[in-house]
Structure formats: C-alpha cells, structure tokens
Amino acid sequence: MEKKYFDATFKDPFDLKPQELKDEPWKSMAAELLQEDESDRKEKMAKFLEMYRADPQIAKWRVPEDGDKWEKDEHLIKFLRAGSWDTQTALTILQTYLNSGKLYTSIVKVAIPKQLDHVWEKKLSTATEYRDHYGRRIFIYRPGLWNPDDVTVNELLASSYVMFELMAEEMKTQIAGVTCVADLYGFGFKQLRNIGIEQVKCMTSFMSGAFPLWVRKIHVVNNPRLFSVLHNMMKPFLDERVKDNMVFHGSDYTELHKEVPAFLLPDTMGGPGELDNKVCVDLLKERNQHYIDIVEKSLKHST
C-alpha cells in the first residue's frame, strides 16, 4: 500500500526556482522515497561532481563556454534524486540522458515548444497544475486522439519530452514523481502503424530510468484490444518496477477517479470536457530558448 501524504488532490502552480528542502511533508517524503539524508548530502554531491568531471563519456558535453552551468547544485541534485542518491545510478541516468540526441535524434531535434503549436492545439497532452494524494504532478496523455496525418509521431513524443523536462525542474516533482494517465480512446491501426522501434524505445526509456524523473504510476484508460500489440512491443524494454506500476482500467473509471479526480479529465475518461494545456504550454514557450539550448547541445554531440 502506497503512503498518501495529502488528503486530496490539490492545485500547486509550477515552481521552477531552485529551493532548499526544508518544508514538510516534502522533507520526509525525500527521506522515505529517495533516501535523501541531510547528514551525507554534501558528501554525496561532492562525490557525484567528481565522478561527473572524471567521466570520459560526459567530457564531450563539457565545453568552456558553459562555465559551471551544468555543475550547479540544482543540476546535480536533480540527477541524484533520480538515482535515489546513489552516485553511480545518478551518473548512469545522466549518461543516458546526455546520449538522447544520439539515440533519439529524430525526436530530440523537434523538441522546441514554439515549433509545436500544431501539436498543442490538438490538446493531446498536458502537465497539469495539480498534484495527487502522493504529491505527484499529474500528466495526461491522449495518443488515441492523435492523427498522424497532422502530427508526426516524433512531434507527438517531442511534446511529451519538453513537458517532462519542465516537470523535472521542480523540486517537489523530483521528490514525489509523476502520475501519468494515458487515454487510449480512439487508438487504432492508424496510430499503431506509425509507431516504430525508435519511438517504442524512447517511450519506455522515459519510464524506466533514462530520464531524471520518477514515473510512479501509469493509468492506462480506454485501452482497446489492439493496444496489447503495442504493449507487447514495449514490455522487453520496461523494467519490473514500471510494469508493476501500470494499472489498466479499460472503460471503468471508478478506480481511476479515486486517484485522479474527474474534474481534471476530459469527457472520454468521465470528466467534464476538453483537456486544458494552456498553463503548461505558455510556460514552455516562455522557456523556448532553454529548449533550443538543450536540443543544440544534444545534437552537437550525437555523432
């Protein structure tokens, strides 16, 4: 039984500023979920920084013009939290993250918010302003409404990629993680035949520890029989933790609404209407240059 830290889902606007971990229940959550311990925090940060500077794979990303940009405490802490403060695990996550430009070039190169307006207007995904009982940021994804004639599969995944980048900047989300809701209403052969092995590997890597963000729960809703084909493609690339955290609801929303309230959901999942992605999309566009920098850095070292 997972521990609920809050009595109800609550609104918590995005906060991307570096923060000290001092408020409850977040401090207790960090200790319980991530083994974050104030007594050895500085020691582990120093060790991780030393490993970062010495690693030959990471060395090619470290250029003089960046200065200490990637060595700031908030950057190191993000990866240490993703690795539950195990320095070797954190280093592995960082290596894989930096290698994304090489592994998923066709996706990364289009991950620039202001170039994805035709995706945003379809309202296929959103990082909501709400957190659940566990403190997790709620992310909603609707691949069943995706029309490959209008939006390429790489643009679809890029739109999720930039949202994950956004959420990974938040201290609270680094600690609590993310609850994902995948709405497969309308998912059919048209969508399935446009998903290749590169896209499958990208999706599963995000969920299985190749990105500095904990995906704690995945609610799969309105899943048709055809989805089993895609799920079977994904299984070999998913670790056991992720498999155990996937919940398949079908068209019964009773248990889903206990975890994610209906008012956040579109009508295809028993909610009041359309998906609202305005707040997170506006924030992504405000940070457009940040994503350009990430893409340029990733692609520069992709060969």
Side-chain angles (χ1 to χ4, degrees):
M1 179 78 65
E2 294 180 286
K3 179 178 178 178
K4 293 183 177 180
Y5 292 90
F6 301 92
D7 293 333
T9 299
F10 61 99
K11 188 173 184 179
D12 186 40
F14 292 97
D15 188 350
L16 309 180
K17 299 186 302 292
Q19 300 175 50
E20 287 186 35
L21 179 58
K22 55 185 179 180
D23 295 332
E24 294 292 353
W26 304 101
K27 193 170 183 177
S28 296
M29 291 169 65
E32 294 168 11
L33 298 173
L34 307 176
Q35 293 74 57
E36 190 164 335
D37 188 343
E38 193 67 35
S39 67
D40 62 4
R41 179 188 174 100
K42 289 185 178 179
E43 179 185 342
K44 288 188 175 181
M45 287 175 64
K47 182 180 178 181
F48 183 50
L49 178 58
E50 182 181 345
M51 295 168 69
Y52 168 84
R53 288 173 172 170
D55 187 84
Q57 184 177 336
I58 293 174
K60 63 183 179 180
W61 275 273
R62 298 178 64 231
V63 292
E65 54 265 34
D66 282 341
D68 66 350
K69 178 179 178 180
W70 305 105
E71 297 185 1
K72 291 181 178 179
D73 286 356
E74 59 265 27
H75 185 69
L76 301 176
I77 289 171
K78 177 170 69 173
F79 285 93
L80 282 164
R81 284 179 174 146
S84 291
W85 287 86
D86 179 88
T87 53
Q88 185 55 57
T89 302
L91 186 69
T92 300
I93 294 170
L94 176 57
Q95 290 169 336
T96 308
Y97 171 80
L98 291 175
N99 209 31
S100 60
K102 180 178 181 179
L103 295 173
Y104 314 116
T105 305
S106 56
I107 296 166
V108 172
K109 70 181 181 182
V110 294
I112 299 175
K114 286 188 177 180
Q115 294 180 12
L116 295 171
D117 278 341
H118 62 296
V119 183
W120 306 134
E121 67 183 16
K122 303 295 182 183
K123 298 185 177 181
L124 301 174
S125 61
T126 188
T128 75
E129 287 191 281
Y130 286 81
R131 297 186 182 277
D132 61 15
H133 298 85
Y134 311 96
R136 303 167 189 156
R137 181 69 72 192
I138 298 171
F139 174 77
I140 303 172
Y141 182 54
R142 308 183 76 193
L145 297 187
W146 160 51
N147 184 347
D149 293 337
D150 300 326
V151 174
T152 70
V153 65
N154 293 326
E155 291 168 337
L156 177 69
L157 293 180
S159 67
S160 295
Y161 173 83
V162 295
M163 287 189 182
F164 269 63
E165 281 279 3
L166 180 72
M167 294 187 288
E169 293 297 312
E170 295 187 287
M171 181 196 74
K172 293 176 183 177
T173 310
Q174 291 168 8
I175 294 168
V178 175
T179 288
C180 293
V181 182
D183 180 12
L184 293 165
Y185 177 84
F187 188 87
F189 282 107
K190 186 170 187 176
Q191 288 85 5
L192 182 63
R193 65 172 177 256
N194 277 276
I195 300 173
I197 194 65
E198 179 186 1
Q199 289 78 29
V200 169
K201 286 183 176 180
C202 181
M203 287 188 288
T204 53
S205 70
F206 266 58
M207 294 184 274
S208 296
F211 193 84
L213 190 63
W214 286 95
V215 178
R216 301 282 188 186
K217 186 71 70 177
I218 303 169
H219 296 281
V220 182
V221 190
N222 294 318
N223 41 301
R225 289 184 179 180
L226 182 65
F227 177 69
S228 62
V229 177
L230 179 59
H231 187 222
N232 287 333
M233 291 170 63
M234 296 169 67
K235 275 183 180 178
F237 306 107
L238 292 171
D239 62 28
E240 291 305 314
R241 178 188 64 83
V242 174
K243 291 177 185 177
D244 291 343
N245 287 339
M246 295 182 77
V247 182
F248 296 89
H249 296 275
S251 57
D252 184 348
Y253 313 134
T254 307
E255 294 303 314
L256 173 67
H257 290 172
K258 292 178 182 178
E259 299 289 318
V260 180
F263 75 83
L264 284 176
L265 301 171
D267 54 7
T268 53
M269 293 187 283
E274 288 191 352
L275 194 71
D276 184 2
N277 63 2
K278 185 180 187 312
V279 172
C280 68
V281 169
D282 286 349
L283 187 53
L284 287 168
K285 289 183 178 181
E286 287 175 15
R287 293 167 56 80
N288 198 64
Q289 187 57 50
H290 170 73
Y291 293 97
I292 291 174
D293 292 344
I294 291 175
V295 169
E296 288 180 349
K297 193 170 185 65
S298 296
L299 296 182
K300 182 179 179 181
H301 302 289
S302 64
T303 57

